[in-house]
Structures are given as structure tokens and as C-alpha cells.
Amino acid sequence: MEEKVFALNDIVEMKKQHPCGTNRWKIIRMGMDIRIKCEGCGHSVLIPRREFSRKMKKVLVKHEE
């Protein structure tokens, strides 16, 4: 299985959408855990990197530096 590449401030799509109906998440913190923020309602979730890699579907928008 290929390693998924993502970076801080990327907008990603997860396998399951948020209860608010949106499936766009912004990565706002990276480390051993990843904090993502829902683009729809602004709710943020902290999940372990390994679980995040498994639940992420694809990167929608790459952050330009």
C-alpha cells in the first residue's frame, strides 16, 4: 500500500463525512497526532497519525508555500 502524502494546511477528504454534512477538512496541526478542522462548521478533531492515514481518502487542495 502506498504512503499517503499530506502537509500542514492541506484540505483533505476523509472516508466518512462530518455530521454537519461537509467532507472537507483542513490539517491545522501535525506531529504524532493530526488535528483537522471541519471546513463546514469549524469543529476540530485530534486523531493519531496512523488512524488519520487510514481514514483519509485524498488531498483535495495542496497548500502553496
Side-chain angles (χ1 to χ4, degrees):
M1 189 172 176
E2 67 184 61
E3 184 67 29
K4 295 178 181 169
V5 179
F6 49 85
L8 193 63
N9 294 318
D10 283 356
I11 307 292
V12 298
E13 180 181 341
M14 302 301 277
K15 288 184 179 171
K16 293 184 180 176
Q17 71 179 18
H18 193 243
C20 76
T22 308
N23 200 2
R24 288 174 62 90
W25 298 84
K26 182 175 187 176
I27 300 173
I28 56 174
R29 180 183 179 277
M30 289 182 68
M32 276 302 292
D33 298 322
I34 309 278
R35 183 172 295 276
I36 54 177
K37 184 176 183 179
C38 177
E39 291 284 283
C41 65
H43 181 78
S44 70
V45 179
L46 184 69
I47 55 178
R49 180 181 285 266
R50 195 167 178 188
E51 185 179 334
F52 175 81
S53 294
R54 203 169 54 243
K55 291 185 175 182
M56 185 184 90
K57 194 185 265 186
K58 63 183 175 183
V59 175
L60 298 173
V61 180
K62 289 293 271 179
H63 176 69
E64 299 298 323
E65 293 183 39

